[in-house]
Every structure is written in C-alpha cells, then in structure tokens.
C-alpha cells in the first residue's frame, strides 16, 4: 500500500463514524469520492501551473528581447513557451479537472442521499443501489475520459 493510499484511507476513516465504517457500500462510495477529489485537485494544480507558467514565460521572452538579453537566453525561454504550448495539446488537464469535479459532485450527491437515510433503511438493496450508482459513475467517467482522448488524437491527425 502506498503512502497516498494510506492517507486516503485515513481521510475516509476520519469522515466516517464507527457505525458507517461497517457499511461496505458507503466505504466503497467514499473511496471513489476521495479518488475523484484527489484527481480534481491534482489536475487543477497542473492546469494552473502550466497556464501561469506559459503566460509568465511568454511575457519574460518579450521582456528579454526588449532588453537585448543574450539570444540564447531569449531563445531558451521561448523554447519553454513552445514546450508548454505543445504539452497543453498532448494533455488536457483542464478537461480532466472539470470531469473529475463533475464526478466528485455526483458521488457526493449519491452519498449524501444515502447518508440521509435512517440506519434501519440502509438495507442491502439500498446499499446495492449506492454501489451501482457509484460504479456507473466510474464507468461513465472512464468512458468519457477515453472519448476525450480519442477525440484529441483524431483532431491532431492530418486530413
């Protein structure tokens, strides 16, 4: 088990009561929710860093040229700008961030609805419904991710 997985389980444990920890359906849903929350945070951070880095370096290249900086410095900064522009075409952190945000919101809604049920109404059938809803969300999101990747590749192909 990795450090990140241990942290995830600790976070889930912190948010669940003793009674809820015995509810395997709720634990399953919370694990998926945590995964989407972590993905959302990670892709948002990557998106913001790549975009702000590109903006900063593009501005720096202009300033360096205006200051008559050595050509190799200006060219290196401009090359990093080109690299970041290319990286944005290969990866889609913004789309992934939005998709993870939507999936997280859907998972939270399903979990909230389930948690609003009194304990005696959290029957095996309701637990199965929660697991099915979460599993459908994961499958739909995975398919959506694959479709976004295929569309990105097809858009890049000539003709």
């Amino acid at each position: 088990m990795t450090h990140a997985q241990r942290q995830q389980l600790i976070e889930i444990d912190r948010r669940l009561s003793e009674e809820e920890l015995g509810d395997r359906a709720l634990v399953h849903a919370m694990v998926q929710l945590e995964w989407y929350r972590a993905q959302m945070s990670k892709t948002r951070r990557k998106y913001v860093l790549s975009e702000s880095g590109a903006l900063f370096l593009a501005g720096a290249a202009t300033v360096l040229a205006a200051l008559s900086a050595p050509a190799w410095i200006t060219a290196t900064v401009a090359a990093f700008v080109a690299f970041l522009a290319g990286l944005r075409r290969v990866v889609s952190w913004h789309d992934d961030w939005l998709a993870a945000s939507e999936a997280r919101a859907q998972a939270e809604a399903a979990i909230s609805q389930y948690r609003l049920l009194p304990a005696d109404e959290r029957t095996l059938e309701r637990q199965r419904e929660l697991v099915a809803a979460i599993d459908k969300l994961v499958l739909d999101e995975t398919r959506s991710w694959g479709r976004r990747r295929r569309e990105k590749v097809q858009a890049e192909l000539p003709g």
Side-chain angles (χ1 to χ4, degrees):
M1 182 180 292
T2 68
H3 175 71
Q5 289 169 324
R6 276 193 296 278
Q7 289 303 110
Q8 181 182 28
L9 291 173
I10 290 168
E11 179 63 24
I12 292 167
D13 182 56
R14 186 182 62 77
R15 283 196 256 139
L16 291 172
S17 68
E18 275 302 313
E19 184 179 313
E20 290 175 326
L21 280 172
D23 187 335
R24 301 287 297 155
L26 185 56
V27 171
H28 171 73
M30 293 296 289
V31 167
Q32 294 302 321
L33 174 67
E34 264 318 297
W35 189 86
Y36 282 113
R37 182 174 291 144
Q39 284 303 109
M40 184 184 77
S41 178
K42 185 174 17 173
T43 54
R44 179 185 162 277
R45 202 169 27 257
K46 288 177 180 178
Y47 170 72
V48 168
L49 284 172
S50 67
E51 292 299 310
S52 57
L55 288 171
F56 174 77
L57 290 173
T62 304
V63 170
L64 288 169
L67 294 175
S68 300
W72 71 270
I73 294 175
T74 305
T76 301
V77 171
F80 278 117
V81 172
F83 170 77
L84 288 174
L87 185 63
R88 286 195 319 251
R89 293 181 61 86
V90 174
V91 295
S92 53
W93 288 317
H94 186 259
D95 294 341
D96 292 347
W97 168 31
L98 295 176
S101 298
E102 290 173 11
R104 182 203 49 81
Q106 289 176 344
E108 274 188 348
I111 291 167
S112 294
Q113 291 299 311
Y114 180 80
R115 287 178 117 176
L116 286 173
L117 295 172
D120 61 328
E121 289 183 31
R122 293 182 186 180
T123 62
L124 186 57
E125 181 181 337
R126 295 290 183 122
Q127 291 175 354
R128 285 184 178 144
E129 288 172 2
L130 176 62
V131 169
I134 296 297
D135 288 350
K136 182 182 181 319
L137 168 71
V138 171
L139 182 58
D140 290 348
E141 164 53 24
T142 303
R143 286 180 178 150
S144 174
W145 179 84
R147 185 175 55 255
R148 288 191 312 272
R149 293 296 181 262
R150 285 188 296 278
E151 288 170 357
K152 195 168 198 62
V153 168
Q154 288 173 352
E156 301 283 323
L157 295 176

